[in-house]
Amino acid sequence: MKLRSIALAGVALAALSAPAAASDYTGWYLGAGIGYDSPNLVHISTPLGTAKIAYQPSAIGIVDVGYKWDANIRTEIEIGYTEHGSDEPVFGGTLGGTNTVKSVLFNVAYDLPLGHGLAWTVGAGIGAGADLQDTKFGNTRVIYGQQVGFMWQGMTGFSLALSPAVDVFADWRYRDAEVDSDFHSDFGIAPVHINSVIENVGMLGLRWYLEPPPPPPPPPPPPPPPPPPPPPPAVKTFIVFFDFDKSNLTDKAVEVVQEAVKAAKEQGMVKVMVTGHTDTVGSDSYNQALSERRAQSVKDEMVREGMDGNTIAIEGKSFHDPLVPTGPGVREPQNRRAVIDLGG
């Protein structure tokens, strides 16, 4: 059947994947809809021949429970109900009554995103349909009874996200209940055989997604704090000053030596150089000896403060490396010094 081929093609199309659909949810949902149901003529076969009965359009209602998957595919169980009346004049009388169709269908639908919360839906369903006939001519029941058979439908339409958790949908459905069964008759034409009841439906409804909305994405992490400033460079040089023509340490000189020893221990220095200097008063040989005595005084004090004497080297430079350049015979206090170099 051509229409059944269309429905099966819809099922195949529903298996395709795509970007996000109208609603951002995946998970369980409930749905409900109401629509306008226009049935085709119902063809009946009797021992006396065939006939067609026209039933009037009416409302149809559905409820469903389904699950939406990540690939914009929905699967659902749908329950439907509709009742069509008949008031057709025949043979000077009226053929009246009802034709009720109840259905339970398993649907597969695919929502193609169109942007701004809008999606185009195509899908199909299969299941069971029950056709309940109660048609009379006057007071005589012409067709009555209920039969259940295979039922299928094809559908297409649109959905729009009203909120992150609610979609409204509008679609068209072609439904075919293939009961293919005999019904009773008190009119003398039993059995009455009906192959199928076909309906064209325009449907409007809502879907409510049951899972909580996904949490908003976490804020971006704050930028890393700036690196701490580099530590100040370690002090490696200390200067001890002496009185004129002296090599003994003043109280201030002792404090400087103690600071140098503390720094050497904290920095893990294993090699120390102490260099003695003089001003330009006196001969070179005398000042050479004085500069060496000054360096030795500093070394002796460092050893008393806990340093290993084997790690401390000394030398004297007389007046050949002045801190403040002067002429000969000048008493310059800043040139009377010993320089402690941590690290050698």
Side-chain angles (χ1 to χ4, degrees):
M1 180 183 291
K2 183 177 181 181
L3 291 174
R4 182 178 296 180
S5 299
I6 295 174
L8 294 177
V11 173
L13 182 58
L16 299 176
S17 61
S23 172
D24 291 333
Y25 282 2
T26 58
W28 294 99
Y29 64 87
L30 299 176
I34 188 169
Y36 176 81
D37 187 341
S38 177
N40 289 3
L41 294 175
V42 176
H43 294 243
I44 65 172
S45 301
T46 74
L48 301 180
T50 62
K52 301 176 183 178
I53 302 177
Y55 290 95
Q56 299 167 351
S58 67
I60 181 172
I62 64 165
V63 293
D64 54 52
V65 58
Y67 191 90
K68 181 178 176 183
W69 307 88
D70 287 337
N72 298 326
I73 296 175
R74 291 183 291 103
T75 54
E76 62 187 22
I77 299 295
E78 173 191 296
I79 299 174
Y81 180 90
T82 182
E83 182 178 296
H84 303 283
S86 176
D87 189 15
E88 185 175 0
V90 291
F91 305 118
T94 300
L95 187 64
T98 58
N99 176 23
T100 302
V101 179
K102 296 171 281 187
S103 59
V104 178
L105 299 172
F106 173 74
N107 297 327
V108 179
Y110 167 65
D111 298 320
L112 174 66
L114 301 177
H116 303 288
L118 184 66
W120 172 50
T121 299
V122 61
I126 58 174
D131 182 23
L132 174 61
Q133 292 282 347
D134 188 12
T135 303
K136 300 177 181 179
F137 182 74
N139 294 323
T140 304
R141 303 175 77 183
V142 178
I143 307 172
Y144 65 93
Q146 176 175 277
Q147 298 294 344
V148 178
F150 173 75
M151 186 172 184
W152 64 273
Q153 70 173 353
M155 53 189 174
T156 185
F158 296 92
S159 66
L160 179 65
L162 299 181
S163 75
V166 178
D167 287 350
V168 61
F169 65 88
D171 57 37
W172 169 84
R173 304 181 181 209
Y174 182 91
R175 294 160 46 95
D176 186 354
E178 299 182 357
V179 291
D180 194 19
S181 300
D182 293 335
F183 290 79
H184 304 293
S185 176
D186 294 339
F187 202 68
I189 57 173
V192 177
H193 191 86
I194 298 177
N195 283 326
S196 64
V197 178
I198 297 174
E199 304 162 300
N200 290 276
V201 176
M203 184 72 65
L204 182 66
L206 293 172
R207 296 188 193 98
W208 296 269
Y209 290 87
L210 303 180
E211 295 187 359
V235 178
K236 297 182 63 176
T237 301
F238 296 83
I239 301 178
V240 177
F241 293 100
F242 294 85
D243 292 334
F244 177 71
D245 198 24
K246 301 292 185 182
S247 61
N248 60 301
L249 300 178
T250 66
D251 292 341
K252 180 61 177 177
V254 171
E255 292 179 3
V256 174
V257 173
Q258 290 173 345
E259 291 178 6
V261 171
K262 179 180 178 182
K265 291 180 178 179
E266 291 176 350
Q267 298 171 26
M269 297 298 180
V270 296
K271 185 178 180 182
V272 178
M273 171 64 75
V274 181
T275 305
H277 301 268
T278 67
D279 57 23
T280 57
V281 176
S283 66
D284 183 23
S285 59
Y286 180 85
N287 281 301
Q288 179 63 35
L290 178 58
S291 64
E292 292 174 359
R293 290 196 301 272
R294 287 173 174 171
Q296 186 64 48
S297 295
V298 171
K299 176 179 178 179
D300 293 343
E301 182 63 26
M302 296 182 76
V303 172
R304 281 192 293 270
E305 294 293 332
M307 293 284 292
D308 182 0
N310 294 326
T311 65
I312 305 172
I314 63 171
E315 66 175 343
K317 290 194 175 182
S318 183
F319 47 64
H320 299 295
D321 188 12
L323 187 61
V324 178
T326 67
V330 177
R331 296 186 178 189
E332 173 52 55
Q334 294 190 67
N335 289 338
R336 301 192 295 264
R337 70 195 191 281
V339 177
I340 304 171
D341 183 12
L342 303 182

PDB file of all heavy atoms in Angstrom, residues 6 11 41 142 215 238 249 257 275 338:
ATOM      1  N   ILE A   6       4.754   5.207   2.751  1.00  0.00           N
ATOM      2  CA  ILE A   6       5.104   6.554   3.230  1.00  0.00           C
ATOM      3  C   ILE A   6       5.364   6.530   4.724  1.00  0.00           C
ATOM      4  O   ILE A   6       6.313   7.128   5.229  1.00  0.00           O
ATOM      5  CB  ILE A   6       3.987   7.547   2.877  1.00  0.00           C
ATOM      6  CG1 ILE A   6       3.881   7.691   1.355  1.00  0.00           C
ATOM      7  CG2 ILE A   6       4.226   8.897   3.531  1.00  0.00           C
ATOM      8  CD1 ILE A   6       2.701   8.538   0.906  1.00  0.00           C
ATOM      9  N   VAL A  11       9.348   6.345   9.457  1.00  0.00           N
ATOM     10  CA  VAL A  11      10.064   5.691  10.554  1.00  0.00           C
ATOM     11  C   VAL A  11      11.557   5.668  10.260  1.00  0.00           C
ATOM     12  O   VAL A  11      12.398   5.916  11.130  1.00  0.00           O
ATOM     13  CB  VAL A  11       9.527   4.266  10.780  1.00  0.00           C
ATOM     14  CG1 VAL A  11      10.370   3.535  11.800  1.00  0.00           C
ATOM     15  CG2 VAL A  11       8.072   4.319  11.229  1.00  0.00           C
ATOM     16  N   LEU A  41     -15.000   7.491   3.975  1.00  0.00           N
ATOM     17  CA  LEU A  41     -16.153   6.593   3.900  1.00  0.00           C
ATOM     18  C   LEU A  41     -15.751   5.192   4.346  1.00  0.00           C
ATOM     19  O   LEU A  41     -14.676   4.686   3.972  1.00  0.00           O
ATOM     20  CB  LEU A  41     -16.693   6.553   2.476  1.00  0.00           C
ATOM     21  CG  LEU A  41     -17.301   7.864   1.932  1.00  0.00           C
ATOM     22  CD1 LEU A  41     -17.665   7.680   0.463  1.00  0.00           C
ATOM     23  CD2 LEU A  41     -18.509   8.286   2.743  1.00  0.00           C
ATOM     24  N   VAL A 142     -28.107  -2.251  12.421  1.00  0.00           N
ATOM     25  CA  VAL A 142     -27.590  -2.697  11.127  1.00  0.00           C
ATOM     26  C   VAL A 142     -26.186  -3.274  11.269  1.00  0.00           C
ATOM     27  O   VAL A 142     -25.861  -4.328  10.707  1.00  0.00           O
ATOM     28  CB  VAL A 142     -27.606  -1.528  10.123  1.00  0.00           C
ATOM     29  CG1 VAL A 142     -27.027  -1.976   8.778  1.00  0.00           C
ATOM     30  CG2 VAL A 142     -29.018  -1.011   9.944  1.00  0.00           C
ATOM     31  N   PRO A 215      21.687  22.246  34.441  1.00  0.00           N
ATOM     32  CA  PRO A 215      22.248  23.414  35.128  1.00  0.00           C
ATOM     33  C   PRO A 215      22.985  24.299  34.139  1.00  0.00           C
ATOM     34  O   PRO A 215      23.488  23.832  33.110  1.00  0.00           O
ATOM     35  CB  PRO A 215      23.223  22.776  36.135  1.00  0.00           C
ATOM     36  CG  PRO A 215      23.571  21.449  35.529  1.00  0.00           C
ATOM     37  CD  PRO A 215      22.335  20.989  34.801  1.00  0.00           C
ATOM     38  N   PHE A 238      79.432  42.130  52.163  1.00  0.00           N
ATOM     39  CA  PHE A 238      79.366  42.945  53.369  1.00  0.00           C
ATOM     40  C   PHE A 238      80.705  43.670  53.522  1.00  0.00           C
ATOM     41  O   PHE A 238      81.763  43.113  53.181  1.00  0.00           O
ATOM     42  CB  PHE A 238      79.102  42.085  54.604  1.00  0.00           C
ATOM     43  CG  PHE A 238      77.761  41.394  54.571  1.00  0.00           C
ATOM     44  CD1 PHE A 238      77.596  40.199  53.873  1.00  0.00           C
ATOM     45  CD2 PHE A 238      76.668  41.934  55.231  1.00  0.00           C
ATOM     46  CE1 PHE A 238      76.369  39.562  53.830  1.00  0.00           C
ATOM     47  CE2 PHE A 238      75.442  41.295  55.203  1.00  0.00           C
ATOM     48  CZ  PHE A 238      75.285  40.103  54.505  1.00  0.00           C
ATOM     49  N   LEU A 249      88.310  45.027  65.464  1.00  0.00           N
ATOM     50  CA  LEU A 249      86.939  45.293  65.034  1.00  0.00           C
ATOM     51  C   LEU A 249      86.225  46.184  66.033  1.00  0.00           C
ATOM     52  O   LEU A 249      86.273  45.945  67.244  1.00  0.00           O
ATOM     53  CB  LEU A 249      86.147  43.980  64.880  1.00  0.00           C
ATOM     54  CG  LEU A 249      86.697  42.966  63.866  1.00  0.00           C
ATOM     55  CD1 LEU A 249      85.837  41.698  63.866  1.00  0.00           C
ATOM     56  CD2 LEU A 249      86.728  43.562  62.470  1.00  0.00           C
ATOM     57  N   VAL A 257      79.800  41.705  60.754  1.00  0.00           N
ATOM     58  CA  VAL A 257      80.298  40.340  60.593  1.00  0.00           C
ATOM     59  C   VAL A 257      79.216  39.325  60.981  1.00  0.00           C
ATOM     60  O   VAL A 257      79.012  38.295  60.319  1.00  0.00           O
ATOM     61  CB  VAL A 257      81.579  40.135  61.426  1.00  0.00           C
ATOM     62  CG1 VAL A 257      81.998  38.662  61.402  1.00  0.00           C
ATOM     63  CG2 VAL A 257      82.709  40.995  60.897  1.00  0.00           C
ATOM     64  N   THR A 275      88.587  40.221  51.912  1.00  0.00           N
ATOM     65  CA  THR A 275      89.686  40.995  51.325  1.00  0.00           C
ATOM     66  C   THR A 275      89.890  42.275  52.130  1.00  0.00           C
ATOM     67  O   THR A 275      88.942  43.047  52.319  1.00  0.00           O
ATOM     68  CB  THR A 275      89.378  41.356  49.866  1.00  0.00           C
ATOM     69  OG1 THR A 275      89.099  40.168  49.140  1.00  0.00           O
ATOM     70  CG2 THR A 275      90.554  42.082  49.233  1.00  0.00           C
ATOM     71  N   ALA A 338      87.403  45.973  55.106  1.00  0.00           N
ATOM     72  CA  ALA A 338      87.555  44.590  54.691  1.00  0.00           C
ATOM     73  C   ALA A 338      86.217  44.182  54.030  1.00  0.00           C
ATOM     74  O   ALA A 338      85.128  44.453  54.577  1.00  0.00           O
ATOM     75  CB  ALA A 338      87.866  43.671  55.850  1.00  0.00           C
TER      76      ALA A 338
END
